[in-house]
Amino acid sequence: MDEWRERRRGPAHWWHHGPAGWRREGDGSDGPPPGRLPWRTTVAVTVLVLVGSNFAAHAQPHREPLDGYARLLLLAACALLLWRQRHPVPVVFGTAVLALGYLAAGYPYGPVFAAVAVACFSAVVAGHRRSAWAAVGLLWGGHLLISLWLYRVLPPPGDQGAGAGQELVAATWVLIILSVAELVRLRREQWARERADRAQAGRRRADAERLRIARELHDVLAHSISVINVQAGVGLALLDSDPEQARAALTTIKAASKEALGEVRQVLDTLRAPGDAPRAPAPGLGRLPELVEQAAGAGLEVTVLGEPPGLPPGADLAAFRIVQEALTNVVRHSGSRQARVRLEHGGGELRLRIDDDGPATGADAGGSGNGLAGMRERAAALGGTIEAGPRADGGFQVLAVLPLNDREGR
């Protein structure tokens, strides 16, 4: 039904803001018309024009006196202002033509130009600059013709042409009106750009936060579920032949799942209201012994060489997650049951190297394939690098280089 209505009114839709050549410049769209008519300002302008024209008529006795036709022209010009926000282009041209007809009839000069000024201002602010300039140019050009040449044949009888000074004053007022309208338009466009920039920055921050949370969840779940998967396989294989070993596997599964739930809860805490403190500190390299113990539960013997330096919270978390993801990949993809983690620091950087002797199993471990990408994103966010690839002897190596300075605080 809505589509049928839109098609039905389509041919006349241009009247909202003029035909295609009159449409708003800059974005190519007309924009939705305001819902309410500007009654108050229109009534104020109408009172100003009618009262001011009466005073002008007393001061210009040589012009035609105000009669019913003059007041009708003035009222029509002011009444058009009610639609200056919905139809700015037709209104600015309509007020210009009515003002020109008023002057051609020989009626007194006065506030009739106020209606044209208001219509011009609204058209320029709405983005219809060329239409406003064209309408004001039409009025000024017509006034030149009347005051310099046509005054001889138009009322009032015996009228004299205007001098260059009068026309210069009229041109100055035209330029002032257009300049003020342009300034207001530019300021509104600047406000609109600032609002758009703020909205875009907010979207970027939201995207970055979603990516961070997704990366955290991936690292937490990938490691824990890999341990659970390995131990579940061991438990199933030994359930009948070695119940005690199966019980140990189930105990490891329970501990790994509890650890995973705690870290997932900690990650999800960041989605709470701003200002709430996290329930637990973020993990760091100080928890490497726990990570080694979890890996041992999955059947992986990990040797740690070197002592972790003091790191800022963001770098400490990134280093921990990189080691965690690298060991998870060893559990998933390597046939080796031994891995080495070497920590070296100096020269303002931390070097993390995680090795296993391989070979790759080639089996589908059920991962998402985002582990290496997540490690690289973490390192890049701190200004570091990640190199990962097979070694010449058949093993696999992950080398992370992270700066020791706190980029988060800068």
Side-chain angles (χ1 to χ4, degrees):
M1 177 64 92
D2 292 338
E3 182 181 358
W4 176 82
R5 290 176 179 172
E6 189 67 26
R7 289 181 179 177
R8 178 164 184 160
R9 67 185 182 188
H13 184 63
W14 68 271
W15 187 252
H16 284 292
H17 295 285
W22 289 357
R23 291 182 180 175
R24 181 175 302 171
E25 301 158 12
D27 59 0
S29 64
D30 294 335
R36 299 179 61 182
L37 297 177
W39 285 98
R40 296 181 180 178
T41 55
T42 301
V43 170
V45 173
T46 303
V47 172
L48 171 66
V49 170
L50 293 178
V51 175
S53 298
N54 283 326
F55 282 104
H58 291 298
Q60 302 173 47
H62 59 285
R63 304 289 293 178
E64 291 289 324
L66 289 179
D67 54 16
Y69 293 108
R71 290 183 173 84
L72 182 61
L73 288 172
L74 295 175
L75 282 174
C78 294
L80 283 178
L81 297 179
L82 285 172
W83 293 275
R84 65 182 183 273
Q85 295 177 352
R86 297 186 178 183
H87 317 290
V89 174
V91 168
V92 72
F93 274 99
T95 54
V97 170
L98 289 171
L100 188 58
Y102 176 89
L103 297 178
Y107 295 120
Y109 289 93
V112 64
F113 298 108
V116 182
V118 172
C120 173
F121 184 86
S122 297
V124 171
V125 170
H128 304 276
R129 304 164 57 197
R130 296 178 183 175
S131 298
W133 296 346
V136 175
L138 171 67
L139 175 59
W140 188 51
H143 178 261
L144 282 177
L145 287 175
I146 294 172
S147 60
L148 297 181
W149 292 286
L150 299 181
Y151 69 91
R152 300 183 181 89
V153 296
L154 293 175
D159 191 15
Q160 296 181 353
Q166 292 176 316
E167 295 304 326
L168 182 60
V169 170
T172 302
W173 276 107
V174 169
L175 292 177
I176 290 175
I177 293 171
L178 291 176
S179 298
V180 172
E182 287 291 337
L183 287 175
V184 174
R185 181 189 63 83
L186 291 174
R187 185 56 181 161
R188 287 193 175 185
E189 290 181 354
Q190 181 181 358
W191 288 337
R193 286 194 298 269
E194 291 174 355
R195 286 194 299 270
D197 291 342
R198 286 194 296 269
Q200 186 175 6
R203 288 192 295 270
R204 285 197 298 266
R205 287 192 298 270
D207 291 341
E209 182 66 11
R210 283 194 294 269
L211 179 61
R212 186 190 69 80
I213 293 173
R215 191 163 52 230
E216 287 289 324
L217 289 175
H218 172 272
D219 292 347
V220 169
L221 296 177
H223 175 77
S224 300
I225 291 178
S226 294
V227 173
I228 292 171
N229 181 60
V230 170
Q231 292 301 317
V234 171
L236 287 174
L238 300 178
L239 184 62
D240 296 327
S241 61
D242 192 346
E244 289 301 321
Q245 187 67 26
R247 183 186 300 274
L250 291 175
T251 302
T252 302
I253 290 175
K254 180 180 179 181
S257 61
K258 181 179 179 181
E259 178 74 16
L261 286 173
E263 294 203 24
V264 168
R265 187 179 296 112
Q266 179 181 343
V267 172
L268 296 181
D269 278 346
T270 60
L271 299 179
R272 293 185 299 162
D276 290 347
R279 299 178 182 176
L285 290 180
R287 291 180 55 183
L288 269 181
E290 297 179 28
L291 194 60
V292 171
E293 185 179 350
Q294 291 176 4
L300 180 65
E301 181 182 347
V302 180
T303 303
V304 179
L305 305 174
E307 292 294 328
L311 294 174
D316 204 19
L317 174 62
F320 178 83
R321 293 302 188 202
I322 289 172
V323 175
Q324 185 183 52
E325 179 63 29
L327 295 180
T328 300
N329 287 338
V330 175
V331 172
R332 284 178 169 177
H333 305 296
S334 177
S336 173
R337 295 295 90 189
Q338 292 184 343
R340 293 174 299 280
V341 177
R342 182 180 295 274
L343 296 89
E344 301 173 349
H345 54 91
E349 64 183 22
L350 169 67
R351 295 171 61 86
L352 289 170
R353 192 172 68 191
I354 302 94
D355 291 273
D356 72 271
D357 296 329
T361 61
D364 182 10
S368 64
N370 294 322
L372 287 177
M375 286 193 288
R376 291 192 175 95
E377 289 171 357
R378 287 186 183 277
L382 298 169
T385 59
I386 289 282
E387 296 179 6
R391 300 189 325 217
D393 59 0
F396 197 86
Q397 181 181 92
V398 175
L399 176 61
V401 180
L402 304 177
L404 293 178
N405 59 293
D406 189 1
R407 285 190 55 175
E408 297 172 318
R410 291 194 288 172

